[in-house]
Amino acid sequence: MLELTTTFTPADGTEPRIITLRIGDVRPDTDGRTWSVAVEILGFKRRSDKVRLKQVDWPHAIRDAANFVIQRVTDEVELAGGGTLDPPIHPPVIGEVSR
């Protein structure tokens, strides 16, 4: 399992809080054709997410999970009125591969 703990400091001056991000349990689905991955985003006031994403194979499942985490965290920070994350989560660049 991949796990990152970051501290969210809201721009409105409210108390910082710990945000936990997890990606794990990558496995083939029972249909024998697709793969899935578990994703958890914990610690935001509005909601916590625990989802299972499906994809055609394990690399796509992992990539989608990473993009999902980045997008959801970016959205949650925006909905909270802004703030900072330490360490930061960078905005998504869908489809781009780092080398």
Side-chain angles (χ1 to χ4, degrees):
M1 174 180 290
L2 301 171
E3 181 174 295
L4 176 69
T5 302
T6 184
T7 302
F8 173 53
T9 304
D12 66 7
T14 57
E15 191 71 24
R17 59 187 173 274
I18 301 298
I19 306 300
T20 303
L21 312 168
R22 295 183 185 129
I23 297 173
D25 191 26
V26 181
R27 64 178 180 226
D29 288 324
T30 55
D31 65 12
R33 294 184 316 254
T34 58
W35 285 69
S36 64
V37 59
V39 178
E40 293 181 76
I41 300 170
L42 309 170
F44 284 105
K45 280 187 179 180
R46 195 171 74 86
R47 72 171 181 215
S48 291
D49 280 318
K50 293 182 181 182
V51 299
R52 189 149 201 94
L53 304 174
K54 283 190 169 201
Q55 202 28 282
V56 297
D57 56 22
W58 67 267
H60 283 94
I62 293 168
R63 184 182 68 190
D64 280 1
N67 283 333
F68 178 88
V69 167
I70 293 166
Q71 188 62 58
R72 187 58 54 96
V73 168
T74 300
D75 291 348
E76 290 295 330
V77 169
E78 183 178 309
L79 287 169
T84 59
L85 294 164
D86 185 24
I89 306 297
H90 298 284
V93 181
I94 305 301
E96 182 175 294
V97 177
S98 298
R99 298 196 193 276

